[in-house]
Amino acid sequence: KSGRLELSDEFFISEKAWREGGAGSGGSTMFAELNSKVSVENLIKSVIIQSGNDASIALAEGIGGTEESFVRVMNELATDLGLDDSNFENSTGLPDEDMLVTARDLANLARHIIKTYPEYYDLFAQPNFEWNGINQGNRNTLLDDGIGVDGLKTGHTESAGYGIVASTTEGGRRLVAVLHGMESKSERR
């Protein structure tokens, strides 16, 4: 927002980003190549559309110098935004015993993103992201259900289960919903 960062700026894909967030990690990835440079625009698209963990780490390192420094800034910003019941431990949202993010704080963060960055909000509704010859669909399947959802973000970990922050303007006003939970044992069959 301050203009210190341009979408055309490029960040380095470090060994950490590649190893902990890339294809070999078993998680969501944009398949960025080790030691390559990727534009901020493509990194952001990967994080929003595909949940690219390698992109998250590359952005964190490019902005904060290290992921750990970036996480400190994340927590400071969270405090400034009134996200009082959350604590971040990494840039990806991958499991950590000291990380906690509440549904209320996710809803407040969604409102902040929508109000503060309206010029970028359409990224959350993009149906796919192509990078390095690989076309990956948006993980938010509610976008295709014809119910008016226009964003925001999904997530899944074994420890936390499935989650979504969804938003719509149906009915003439902006609504944000946060759903989160584990699948039942009967659904696992």
Side-chain angles (χ1 to χ4, degrees):
K1 194 76 173 170
S2 70
R4 290 182 297 160
L5 190 62
E6 299 290 331
L7 291 176
S8 60
D9 290 347
E10 293 184 328
F11 287 156
F12 181 70
I13 303 300
S14 69
E15 175 139 359
K16 177 178 179 158
W18 179 78
R19 186 169 308 285
E20 294 181 18
S25 69
S28 302
T29 179
M30 75 180 294
F31 300 98
E33 296 175 16
L34 177 62
N35 298 324
S36 65
K37 286 189 172 185
V38 180
S39 71
V40 168
E41 180 176 18
N42 282 320
L43 292 169
I44 289 172
K45 285 180 179 180
S46 174
V47 169
I48 291 173
I49 299 165
Q50 210 290 311
S51 299
N53 293 321
D54 49 355
S56 293
I57 295 169
L59 282 167
E61 291 174 338
I63 294 168
T66 66
E67 185 179 24
E68 294 77 17
S69 295
F70 182 80
V71 169
R72 282 193 293 279
V73 173
M74 283 176 67
N75 283 314
E76 290 170 10
L77 181 58
T79 299
D80 292 347
L81 295 176
L83 310 182
D84 298 326
D85 297 316
S86 296
N87 179 60
F88 300 99
E89 291 293 321
N90 58 54
S91 64
T92 61
L94 291 172
D96 183 289
E97 64 184 32
D98 294 325
M99 184 155 46
L100 173 67
V101 184
T102 66
R104 177 184 299 274
D105 285 352
L106 284 174
N108 288 334
L109 180 58
R111 280 196 294 273
H112 172 75
I113 290 169
I114 292 165
K115 283 181 164 182
T116 308
Y117 303 100
E119 67 274 26
Y120 300 114
Y121 186 71
D122 66 327
L123 290 175
F124 291 95
Q126 284 193 4
N128 58 12
F129 172 67
E130 185 172 336
W131 170 254
N132 213 15
I134 302 167
N135 190 14
Q136 301 178 69
N138 194 314
R139 292 185 178 264
N140 185 352
T141 58
L142 293 181
L143 295 170
D144 300 327
D145 284 349
I147 58 175
V149 170
D150 60 6
L152 286 154
K153 195 74 192 81
T154 64
H156 174 266
T157 63
E158 287 297 319
S159 58
Y162 294 92
I164 187 167
V165 179
S167 186
T168 183
T169 55
E170 291 296 306
R173 64 182 181 158
R174 170 69 62 191
L175 300 173
V176 174
V178 179
L179 302 171
H180 201 48
M182 303 291 286
E183 63 183 331
S184 70
K185 289 183 181 181
S186 65
E187 291 176 299
R188 292 182 185 167
R189 288 187 258 161

